[in-house]
């Protein structure tokens, strides 16, 4: 009796991953080779047991718990202004805004005692402060009593304030980061486990933990809204994208760093590849409505105060001064009309949010203007001239990436375009602070979730930008005795991602040009060596008496050069990946390199 006929199906040979770019030594699938993979940096090794055996819904809670544990542990240290009279620091500013929002009428929020941490953020920050202050007052009303609670260092208050940062982050930033990574990685063809590794790296970003959870602020709320806006763009939900970005602007005016990229992408998506007037009108309408809703509580509160006879400026002696931004406006407005208090509120809010009167810069920051000031003393020039110079330089730096995003509204280009634009703002715009480096670092860091994101080239540049950013914030952190969390968090992140000074493995990989590998390694190595030497000198060698800011000035100069390189790298990657230049141009370049 004949046996069964052979099956026509031939089993597919297993594949091997070689020269990887996804967190382990394996990337491209090549047939006829066995599957051999191993982690290529510590973070991938730590999550290795979860690969293929744990669902993402089991892994995600573990990631979120670990991220929360590090945040709370970092918060055990001091904070900005701890026992630093007379005006203390950012911690006191945030606490004070909570008592302003809960203890004063709405119309007085932007006018009250401007010399003691006057409110200088948009309305959504005030509403957030009101909510946190109301909750805190239920626990201990003494924390938010006007005047008597100034400079309070109550340990229980510290626990509450730290908890508000974590709660705000887990309500806004963390969900936005999780959704964005999932969408961006899927669009980029990245496996879910690799995306989980990238998510951990993003959530463990040292700069955000150091500033928000150690130094003390709520930057991740604004960054979370921006990530939600970008995520909505990835999903094609353009109206929600506009809503989320208005919320980001409503929380912190620094979100303007991304405004040109949001505008360029949304407008480009309405015109390319075909004109969609309906979408354009809908986006414009939703944006206008969102801004109206944002200021509505402020308007209603002001009208209610007028009705009750509450004076917006009770501490003002003598006749009321004109509107601070536009003194001649009073010549055209009826100061007795019902709408005048609203105009006064909105103008004062804009005046507080955009402090042009403070000058080009207040402190030493690693951007172009502070670095230039080391050679040419800029303060001798008129303020108007410096404002125009900053405007022109900023426009020149942000125009190329946004033209690319406008003509090529490709979803995968969003992080690069946002990062390039934010770097341009950080380097050249007006009134930049050290903490503003968080804005270009966020979109640059989420590149880890994209194609080749955990590959050595992207990981090296993203790591370089983050570690350099933390280093430039060291003078700010050291002033409030936060050197230890700075060292622990930055070195931990460098170790997890296989970056200097703990490892050089991120700079050498199979299949890429030796010139590029060695060039990047030597370039970054020079900066890392400089940073290490700077720390040694700053620790053991006092600056000359006639140059007390020598080490800070050196920090500014080195940081500005390094950030300029990050801007150029992001712009170069954006040009290449957008394919906006003719392909024949790239072929000529490749041919020239191989000859």
């Amino acid at each position: 009796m004949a046996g069964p006929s052979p099956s026509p199906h031939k089993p597919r040979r297993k594949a091997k991953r070689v020269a990887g770019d996804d967190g382990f030594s394996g990337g491209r699938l090549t047939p006829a080779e066995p599957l051999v993979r191993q982690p290529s940096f510590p973070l991938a090794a730590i999550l290795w047991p979860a690969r293929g055996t744990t669902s993402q819904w089991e892994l995600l809670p573990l990631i979120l718990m670990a991220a929360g544990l590090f945040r709370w542990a970092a918060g055990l240290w001091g904070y900005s202004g701890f026992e630093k009279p007379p005006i203390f620091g950012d911690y006191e500013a945030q606490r004070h805004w909570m008592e302003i929002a809960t203890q004063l009428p709405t119309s007085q929020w932007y006018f009250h005692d401007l010399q003691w941490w006057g409110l200088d953020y948009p309305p959504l920050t005030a509403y957030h402060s009101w909510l946190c202050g109301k909750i805190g007052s239920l626990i201990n009303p003494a924390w938010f009593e006007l005047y008597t609670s100034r400079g309070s260092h109550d340990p229980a208050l510290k626990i509450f304030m730290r908890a508000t940062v974590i709660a705000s982050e887990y309500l806004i930033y963390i969900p936005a980061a999780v959704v964005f990574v999932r969408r961006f990685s899927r669009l980029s063809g990245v496996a879910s486990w690799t995306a989980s590794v990238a998510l951990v790296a993003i959530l463990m970003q040292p700069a955000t933990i150091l500033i928000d959870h150690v130094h003390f602020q709520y930057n991740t709320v604004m960054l979370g809204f921006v990530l939600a806006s970008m995520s909505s763009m990835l999903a094609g939900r353009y109206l929600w994208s506009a809503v989320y970005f208005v919320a980001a602007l409503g929380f912190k005016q620094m979100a303007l760093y991304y405004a040109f990229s949001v505008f360029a992408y949304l407008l480009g998506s309405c015109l390319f590849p075909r004109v969609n007037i309906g979408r354009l009108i809908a986006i414009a309408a939703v944006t206008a409505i969102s801004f109206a809703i944002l200021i509505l509580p402020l308007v209603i509160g002001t009208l209610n105060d007028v009705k009750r006879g509450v004076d917006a400026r009770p501490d003002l002696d003598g006749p009321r001064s004109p509107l601070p931004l536009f003194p001649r406006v009073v010549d055209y407005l009826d100061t007795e009309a019902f709408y005048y208090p609203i105009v006064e509120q909105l103008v004062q809010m804009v005046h507080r949010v955009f402090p042009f009167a403070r000058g080009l810069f207040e402190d030493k920051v690693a951007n172009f203007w502070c670095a230039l000031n080391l050679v040419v003393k800029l303060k001798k020039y008129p303020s108007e001239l410096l404002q125009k110079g900053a405007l022109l330089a900023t426009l020149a730096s942000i125009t190329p990436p946004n033209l690319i995003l406008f003509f090529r509204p490709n979803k995968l280009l969003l992080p690069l375009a946002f990062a390039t634009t934010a770097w341009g703002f950080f380097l050249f715009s007006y009134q930049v602070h050290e903490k503003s480096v968080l804005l270009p670092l966020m979109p640059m860091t989420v590149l880890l979730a994209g194609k080749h994101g955990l590959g050595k080239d992207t990981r090296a540049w993203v790591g370089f930008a983050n570690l350099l950013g933390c280093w430039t914030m060291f003078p700010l952190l050291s002033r409030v005795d936060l050197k230890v969390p700075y060292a622990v968090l930055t070195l931990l992140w460098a170790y997890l991602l296989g970056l200097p000074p703990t490892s050089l493995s991120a700079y050498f990989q199979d299949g890429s040009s030796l010139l590029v590998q060695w060039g990047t390694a030597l370039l970054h190595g020079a900066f890392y060596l400089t940073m290490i030497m700077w720390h040694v000198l700053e620790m053991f060698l006092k600056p000359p008496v006639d140059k007390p800011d020598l080490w800070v000035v050196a920090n500014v100069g080195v940081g500005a050069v390094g950030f300029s390189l990050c801007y150029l790298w992001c712009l170069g990657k954006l040009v290449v990946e957008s394919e906006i230049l003719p392909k024949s141009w790239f072929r000529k370049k490749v041919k020239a390199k191989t000859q």
Side-chain angles (χ1 to χ4, degrees):
M1 184 172 130
S5 59
S7 170
H9 171 72
K10 293 183 178 181
R12 181 181 299 174
R13 288 182 174 179
K14 290 185 177 181
K16 176 185 178 182
R17 289 184 180 264
V18 295
D21 59 6
D22 51 359
F24 29 75
S25 60
R28 300 186 306 275
L29 286 172
T30 58
E33 291 179 351
L35 182 63
V36 178
R37 304 163 78 182
Q38 62 182 14
S40 60
F41 55 92
L43 180 57
I46 291 172
L47 295 179
W48 192 255
R51 172 182 156 268
T53 60
T54 306
S55 75
Q56 59 179 335
W57 298 111
E58 293 175 313
L59 184 58
L60 181 59
L62 297 176
I63 293 173
L64 298 186
M65 284 190 289
L69 177 63
F70 274 96
R71 281 158 168 74
W72 191 257
L76 295 176
W77 287 88
Y79 48 79
S80 171
F82 179 65
E83 297 182 350
K84 300 287 184 181
I87 200 168
F88 304 96
D90 285 346
Y91 175 91
E92 168 62 19
Q94 302 291 340
R95 187 211 61 81
H96 180 58
W97 295 343
M98 292 178 190
E99 68 183 6
I100 286 177
T102 54
Q103 303 298 320
L104 293 176
T106 305
S107 61
Q108 295 180 5
W109 287 357
Y110 285 97
F111 289 98
H112 176 76
D113 197 0
L114 301 182
Q115 300 305 312
W116 184 272
W117 297 114
L119 182 60
D120 56 3
Y121 279 120
L124 194 54
T125 287
Y127 308 152
H128 175 263
S129 298
W130 176 87
L131 179 61
C132 293
K134 284 292 185 182
I135 296 173
S137 296
L138 295 176
I139 301 173
N140 188 347
W143 290 344
F144 305 107
E145 290 181 355
L146 275 176
Y147 305 111
T148 61
S149 58
R150 288 184 175 182
S152 173
H153 295 304
D154 184 348
L157 173 61
K158 174 187 174 182
I159 293 174
F160 171 77
M161 296 291 282
R162 294 294 197 198
T164 62
V165 179
I166 291 182
S168 301
E169 186 165 318
Y170 270 74
L171 287 172
I172 305 296
Y173 179 75
I174 300 291
V178 171
V179 174
F180 177 87
V181 167
R182 184 170 301 167
R183 287 176 177 169
F184 188 59
S185 61
R186 286 178 179 174
L187 282 173
S188 304
V190 174
S192 60
W193 179 83
T194 307
S196 297
V197 177
L199 177 63
V200 177
I202 292 166
L203 296 184
M204 290 296 294
Q205 184 186 23
T208 54
I209 298 178
L210 283 169
I211 293 301
D212 278 21
H213 298 277
V214 182
H215 190 268
F216 200 88
Q217 278 201 352
Y218 297 92
N219 292 290
T220 49
V221 176
M222 178 267 293
L223 295 175
F225 282 127
V226 174
L227 267 178
S229 179
M230 295 171 65
S231 183
S232 297
M233 294 177 191
L234 296 180
R237 298 171 182 171
Y238 302 113
L239 301 186
W240 276 111
S241 175
V243 171
Y244 286 129
F245 190 68
V246 170
L249 284 172
F251 195 83
K252 285 203 172 186
Q253 62 271 29
M254 290 189 301
L256 283 170
Y257 279 34
Y258 308 116
F260 280 80
S261 295
V262 173
F263 176 78
Y265 180 82
L266 292 181
L267 182 60
S269 67
C270 295
L271 301 178
F272 304 103
R274 64 185 64 88
V275 177
N276 191 331
I277 298 299
R279 178 187 295 173
L280 179 61
I281 294 174
I283 291 174
V286 167
T287 302
I289 293 171
S290 299
F291 272 113
I293 294 174
L294 176 67
I295 66 172
L296 187 61
L298 186 65
V299 171
I300 293 175
T302 299
L303 290 176
N304 185 52
D305 289 347
V306 171
K307 184 178 180 180
R308 294 187 297 125
V310 174
D311 188 357
R313 292 185 276 179
D315 55 345
L316 181 69
D317 297 326
R320 300 180 74 85
S321 59
L323 296 173
L325 273 186
F326 312 108
R328 296 184 180 177
V329 166
V330 293
D331 296 335
Y332 305 96
L333 296 178
D334 181 3
T335 57
E336 301 300 324
F338 76 94
Y339 59 79
Y340 184 79
I342 299 174
V343 175
E344 184 180 51
Q345 281 291 324
L346 297 181
V347 170
Q348 174 69 1
M349 179 190 69
V350 174
H351 173 66
R352 294 293 301 159
V353 167
F354 299 104
F356 289 109
R358 296 182 187 177
L360 186 61
F361 55 86
E362 288 184 286
D363 205 350
K364 296 177 177 64
V365 183
N367 74 343
F368 173 79
W369 300 114
C370 291
L372 180 63
N373 190 64
L374 304 179
V375 181
V376 180
K377 298 305 177 184
L378 297 176
K379 292 187 177 181
K380 66 182 181 180
Y381 294 100
S383 177
E384 295 78 8
L385 178 63
L386 296 177
Q387 290 179 20
K388 292 177 181 178
L391 176 62
L392 291 175
T394 304
L395 289 175
S397 66
I398 68 174
T399 297
N402 289 296
L403 284 178
I404 293 173
L405 194 60
F406 172 70
F407 288 110
R408 292 283 196 277
N410 184 337
K411 297 174 182 179
L412 296 178
L413 300 179
L414 285 170
L416 278 172
F418 274 60
T420 310
T421 303
W423 279 125
F425 267 99
F426 179 83
L427 287 168
F428 299 106
S429 63
Y430 202 85
Q431 268 291 314
V432 173
H433 297 276
E434 306 99 319
K435 299 178 284 289
S436 301
V437 76
L438 295 178
L439 281 89
L441 287 181
M442 185 275 286
M444 192 170 178
T445 305
V446 299
L447 288 171
L448 295 173
K451 187 178 180 181
H452 310 300
L454 293 178
K456 296 187 176 181
D457 179 62
T458 301
R459 184 155 46 92
W461 276 98
V462 170
F464 171 72
N466 275 277
L467 295 176
L468 181 65
C470 291
W471 180 73
T472 59
M473 291 189 295
F474 178 81
L476 172 72
L477 298 171
S478 65
R479 286 199 294 266
V480 287
D481 304 321
L482 298 177
K483 297 179 181 180
V484 172
Y486 158 82
V488 171
L489 289 170
T490 52
L491 290 176
L492 173 65
W493 200 74
Y495 166 75
L496 290 175
L497 293 184
L499 300 166
T502 63
S503 173
L504 297 176
S505 62
Y507 291 93
F508 303 100
Q509 57 188 320
D510 297 331
S512 72
S513 168
L514 285 176
L515 180 62
V516 173
Q517 292 182 49
W518 279 100
T520 304
L522 292 174
L523 179 64
H524 289 182
F527 277 90
Y528 284 122
L529 183 61
T530 301
M531 288 188 276
I532 293 171
M533 291 301 300
W534 182 90
H535 274 302
V536 173
L537 293 173
E538 187 271 341
M539 185 180 301
F540 296 107
L541 186 62
K542 290 186 178 181
V545 177
D546 58 334
K547 296 179 180 178
D549 296 329
L550 176 63
W551 304 131
V552 178
V553 166
N555 185 291
V556 166
V558 174
V561 175
F563 292 149
S564 299
L565 293 175
C566 293
Y567 166 82
L568 294 174
W569 181 83
C570 289
L571 180 59
K573 291 278 288 187
L574 181 62
V575 170
V576 172
E577 295 190 12
S578 67
E579 298 181 349
I580 201 163
L581 296 177
K583 292 184 178 180
S584 59
W585 188 86
F586 289 106
R587 281 196 288 268
K588 291 179 181 178
K589 288 288 184 182
V590 173
K591 185 177 180 181
K593 286 182 179 180
T594 57
Q595 286 180 347

